[in-house]
Amino acid sequence: THNRFPKKVEGFIESGSRGSEEKSYLTRLWAKFNVFGLGQATLSSTIAATGMGGIGKSSLALQYAHEALENNGYHLIWWLLSE
């Protein structure tokens, strides 16, 4: 598979809210995009990752993009650089 994503973050730790017994952020992200449980993401879903700089928002999005690519979650995935 050909992609131009940045490389996966080495040592990515799938974490959740501090002190929470809830599912990890990555698992919840998959659940939000896979609304109908069909194994494919919906066409018009939008989610915003917010928070202070350096807490892992881009790493989370990149991990999600790599997993989606590996699991055929989308027909097309764009990764846009903001620089």
Side-chain angles (χ1 to χ4, degrees), residues 13-60:
I13 298 172
E14 195 170 336
S15 63
S17 300
R18 179 180 252 172
S20 173
E21 296 295 322
E22 293 184 32
K23 296 176 182 174
S24 73
Y25 292 123
L26 187 59
T27 301
R28 290 190 293 179
L29 189 59
W30 271 105
K32 289 288 186 186
F33 275 121
N34 192 9
V35 175
F36 302 109
L38 300 175
Q40 295 270 335
T42 61
L43 291 175
S44 61
S45 297
T46 303
I47 294 175
T50 63
M52 294 175 51
I55 63 170
K57 298 177 300 290
S58 295
S59 297
L60 176 66

